[in-house]
Amino acid sequence: MPQQTRSQTVTDEATGDRGLATAIGIVSGARRLVAFTGAGISTESGIPDYRGPNGVWATRDIPHIDRIRTDAEARISYWRERRAHYPVMLQREPNDGHRALADLERQGRLLAIVTQNIDGLHQKAGNSPEQVIELHGSTHRIRCIANGHLFDGVDIQARLEAGEEDPHCEICGSPLRSATILFGEPLPERALRTAAAVAQAADVMLVVGSSLVVNPAARLPTIAQRHGAKVILVNREPTPLDDAADVLIRADAGPTLRAMIDAVRERPPAMVDDDAGRND
Ligand code: NAD
């Protein structure tokens, strides 16, 4: 991110709610807000993040794409694990953070959500699928390796539970795989292009629950800021972009977003503060 020419509001236990109040002013004036979410927005729904102490993604073996393409044993072991864990994922419900972002869409302020998450909780909370850009795919879709034919995760789960160990595509016979990014794969080009375009068009980028260490997604707040957006960062822990954010709120995502969006909803348009975000 470019070096600060703007003021920054830091909120933590020491400084109280100033960051939240500033963020409410900024979001009240937003017409093209882009939310950029990471695993941290879903921890309050019971899905561990990647780098946290209980991160199942850290402890589980995410396979390499080459092995999934070529090694039936690797696929069988992958499907066995998925068969055990997918029903738990299906039971997860959106929390206040997801619901607040769905409210933002209903208020007509949201341009898009760009997410690193694969859990589908933004859509489950009520955001329209076309407004959610999934950089790492979705665990609720399965596709065939050869031709990209798509299947519903629930249907494939039924086949696994019926005894299939290495399900193949019903259309072309190719082995199947999850439509999420595996190790050794680039991010989907179309999603990346759309994410960069909405970052450039945003007037506010609200970054929630990402450690911001994985590129190229971690560059999106910088792109947004270079194109004139204010960046509000909500995270429990420090991130490499803290110093560059216009507003930094070090707190839990769910209650923070709920409070922010409730306050924004109560603000009549006449109260929109064009200078919001100034810390003077
Ligand atoms: P990450 O695990 O690297 O970072 C999560 C960040 O969120 C951390 O900085 C943590 O301090 C913060 N955090 C955790 N709970 C929080 C809360 N309740 N409120 C505020 N902040 C909170 O996540 P990432 O940057 O998204 O990268 C992880 C990768 O792993 C992603 O690429 C994603 O595809 C994958 N993943 C996805 C899920 C999911 O779909 N829910 C879960 C785990 C991992």
Side-chain angles (χ1 to χ4, degrees), residues 58-248:
T59 54
R60 258 193 236 159
D61 179 25
I62 299 179
H64 194 282
I65 180 60
D66 292 343
R67 287 197 64 212
I68 290 295
R69 276 200 193 108
T70 58
D71 180 351
E73 281 308 314
R75 286 197 300 273
I76 288 170
S77 134
Y78 166 77
W79 289 117
R80 196 176 298 132
E81 178 137 330
R82 181 178 165 101
R83 179 183 162 177
H85 289 108
Y86 187 57
V88 180
M89 180 64 102
L90 278 176
Q91 284 168 8
R92 296 298 177 213
E93 292 296 334
N95 63 56
D96 273 348
H98 302 101
R99 284 191 288 267
L101 295 183
D103 282 355
L104 267 188
E105 181 178 332
R106 282 189 284 272
Q107 291 171 20
R109 298 177 196 276
L110 189 78
L111 179 61
I113 296 177
V114 179
T115 188
Q116 302 188 104
N117 296 342
I118 58 171
D119 55 33
L121 289 184
H122 288 303
Q123 295 91 326
K124 206 170 181 179
N127 283 109
S128 348
E130 56 278 11
Q131 281 205 292
V132 183
I133 301 161
E134 295 171 314
L135 291 176
H136 295 178
S138 169
T139 192
H140 301 296
R141 290 191 298 274
I142 302 293
R143 70 167 194 259
C144 80
I145 290 175
N147 295 305
H149 295 127
L150 283 174
F151 301 91
D152 194 301
V154 172
D155 295 339
I156 302 304
Q157 181 71 13
R159 286 171 60 181
L160 295 173
E161 287 175 6
E164 283 188 57
E165 288 196 304
D166 182 14
H168 281 52
C169 179
E170 286 168 325
I171 301 164
C172 68
S174 153
L176 297 178
R177 53 159 295 176
S178 164
T180 53
I181 301 300
L182 303 178
F183 281 127
E185 284 189 299
L187 299 194
E189 226 172 84
R190 192 162 152 230
L192 261 183
R193 266 204 313 273
T194 312
V198 297
Q200 288 174 28
D203 54 7
V204 177
M205 180 170 275
L206 177 58
V207 184
V208 187
S210 174
S211 55
L212 295 173
V213 293
V214 187
N215 272 325
R219 283 200 291 268
L220 289 173
T222 307
I223 294 174
Q225 209 172 40
R226 282 205 185 116
H227 285 79
K230 301 255 192 221
V231 171
I232 302 168
L233 214 162
V234 180
N235 211 71
R236 262 183 195 161
E237 291 173 35
T239 79
L241 297 193
D242 284 2
D243 286 345
D246 294 285
V247 179
L248 174 66

